[in-house]
Amino acid sequence: MAGNDVLYLVIPCYNEEAVLPETARQLLNKMNSMFERGMISRESKIMFVNDGSKDKTWEIIEELHASNPIYSGVKLSRNKGHQNALLAGLMTAKEKADMAISLDADLQDDVDVIDQMVEKYYEGNDIVYGVRSARKTDTFFKKFTAQGFYKLMQAMGVEIVYNHADYRLMSRRALEGLAQFKEVNLFLRGIVPLIGYKSDIVTYERHERFAGESKYPLKKMLAFATDGITSFSIKPIRLITTCGILIFAVSILMLLYFLVVHFTGRTVAGWTSMIISIWAIGGLQLLAIGIVGEYIGKIYLETKERPKYIIETVLND
Ligand code: UDP
Ligand code: MG
């Protein structure tokens, strides 16, 4: 399908010097082939967002931009994390683009489905989700944790697209919708379905990371999952309430039991049951306070309304 809309590819980069030149080359080929087929406007860009990298990532972006103005760059003032970097890029792209596709710098997201995404956009979809068909290349650990993550999210009532990460196309009007979400605790894959509009999916096989290593160690993944749940669901708090009610009911039964024991005169019994309940309830209370604290922490951060990112430089002409 042909059209003349402006496409921006938005790529967050954190210490990606090892993959960036190859990523740039492959994306340029892709853009050129779409220009030739008259699918997109020649004003389209490949926009790299440097998320406060400590290596030569920004220097490489500057060189790319100097060599060919199709490469554009956004430099954040410091490292703000994948989600914030992505948002910074999308919000910058929104000024000039009719549609933007976000993808990772490491070529794990199959570049060849970009065409399909653009076609679906011309068919009238405002959001096109890239969905992984298989996880052949992931390590067992990654597969296991990632699938557990999606299951847990679903159980907690967070509406997310299964096996969809952050590889997606969004139209300008969807980006404008996204801009209206003011929350500081960003979890894009939870927010995007809330924007609405007509959407579709394309499936792809996720490749192995081209070079360099994952910037998502277990610690970051766990933080990401906790954030996803507590920013979108109050189920954990409800669970605590339910637990509280159940335990209260049990304690009333226990009371009855104790009274019976007392009046039948068999009073010195049950040290074990007592010590167990002290520990169990103590633990439960700490857990409950912790979960409530997690939400209070979120409220604290939201009320401060701190900027999600600060842009230092934009290379785009
Ligand atoms: N990334 C980022 N800021 C960070 C961590 C990661 O912009 O603080 C980028 C990274 O450069 C990559 C994308 O987010 O383009 C996904 O990261 P990665 O490939 O390491 O995650 P994985 O594929 O292992 O989940
Ligand atoms: Mg990756």
Side-chain angles (χ1 to χ4, degrees), residues 1-17:
M1 202 179 285
N4 200 35
D5 283 0
V6 179
L7 166 68
Y8 269 55
L9 301 180
V10 177
I11 304 115
C13 309
Y14 177 59
N15 295 344
E16 297 287 9
E17 63 181 7

Side-chain angles (χ1 to χ4, degrees), residues 11-14 16 51 79 81-82 85 103-106 108 142 206 209 213-216 220:
I11 304 115
C13 309
Y14 177 59
E16 297 287 9
D51 184 18
N79 180 256
H82 177 210
L103 67 163
D104 285 356
D106 54 13
Q108 283 191 290
K142 181 93 190 179
R206 195 158 162 91
R209 190 175 235 286
E213 56 196 38
S214 173
K215 272 78 189 170
Y216 265 105
K220 267 198 192 175

Side-chain angles (χ1 to χ4, degrees), residues 287-304:
L287 173 71
I289 293 172
I291 295 183
V292 174
E294 190 69 30
Y295 284 90
I296 294 177
K298 285 261 145 67
I299 298 169
Y300 174 63
L301 288 175
E302 294 294 348
T303 49
K304 280 202 279 209

Side-chain angles (χ1 to χ4, degrees), residues 191-224:
I191 298 176
V192 173
L194 299 179
I195 298 172
Y197 296 127
K198 190 167 179 276
S199 68
D200 205 343
I201 59 165
V202 296
T203 50
Y204 69 100
E205 255 179 55
R206 195 158 162 91
H207 300 307
E208 229 152 316
R209 190 175 235 286
F210 171 71
E213 56 196 38
S214 173
K215 272 78 189 170
Y216 265 105
L218 181 64
K219 204 171 138 216
K220 267 198 192 175
M221 282 204 300
L222 286 178
F224 189 61

Side-chain angles (χ1 to χ4, degrees), residues 119-316:
E119 272 165 25
K120 299 234 185 220
Y121 161 82
Y122 284 124
E123 285 164 15
N125 291 292
D126 282 277
I127 301 170
V128 186
Y129 299 99
V131 171
R132 255 169 264 177
S133 60
R135 281 182 178 269
K136 276 185 221 143
T137 57
D138 277 354
T139 60
F140 171 76
F141 179 71
K142 181 93 190 179
K143 206 185 303 192
F144 185 74
T145 49
Q147 275 168 358
F149 168 71
Y150 286 104
K151 297 253 164 67
L152 186 64
M153 296 297 277
Q154 278 170 340
M156 288 291 159
V158 185
E159 192 187 321
I160 51 169
V161 180
Y162 191 71
N163 262 349
H164 159 69
D166 283 301
Y167 189 22
R168 74 177 86 80
L169 178 147
M170 292 175 80
S171 69
R172 179 188 290 160
R173 118 179 137 150
L175 291 172
E176 271 159 11
L178 178 62
Q180 290 179 42
F181 286 78
K182 299 290 179 208
E183 55 216 81
V184 177
N185 295 290
L186 253 205
F187 185 69
L188 287 172
R189 26 190 127 152
I191 298 176
V192 173
L194 299 179
I195 298 172
Y197 296 127
K198 190 167 179 276
S199 68
D200 205 343
I201 59 165
V202 296
T203 50
Y204 69 100
E205 255 179 55
R206 195 158 162 91
H207 300 307
E208 229 152 316
R209 190 175 235 286
F210 171 71
E213 56 196 38
S214 173
K215 272 78 189 170
Y216 265 105
L218 181 64
K219 204 171 138 216
K220 267 198 192 175
M221 282 204 300
L222 286 178
F224 189 61
T226 319
D227 257 4
I229 293 167
T230 52
S231 315
F232 280 89
S233 160
I234 54 163
K235 265 203 183 170
I237 286 188
R238 295 237 172 90
L239 266 167
I240 289 174
T241 318
T242 319
C243 262
I245 293 169
L246 280 177
I247 288 174
F248 185 66
V250 170
S251 71
I252 293 202
L253 291 178
M254 295 286 267
L255 189 82
L256 291 176
Y257 169 72
F258 292 147
L259 285 178
V260 170
V261 172
H262 180 77
F263 286 117
T264 51
R266 288 183 283 125
T267 32
V268 197
W271 179 81
T272 327
S273 66
M274 201 171 85
I275 206 77
I276 287 177
S277 50
I278 288 173
W279 281 91
I281 292 179
L284 214 69
Q285 278 172 335
L286 282 182
L287 173 71
I289 293 172
I291 295 183
V292 174
E294 190 69 30
Y295 284 90
I296 294 177
K298 285 261 145 67
I299 298 169
Y300 174 63
L301 288 175
E302 294 294 348
T303 49
K304 280 202 279 209
E305 288 185 59
R306 283 187 178 162
K308 289 183 273 269
Y309 53 83
I310 293 169
I311 292 177
E312 186 176 323
T313 322
V314 176
L315 300 176
N316 192 13

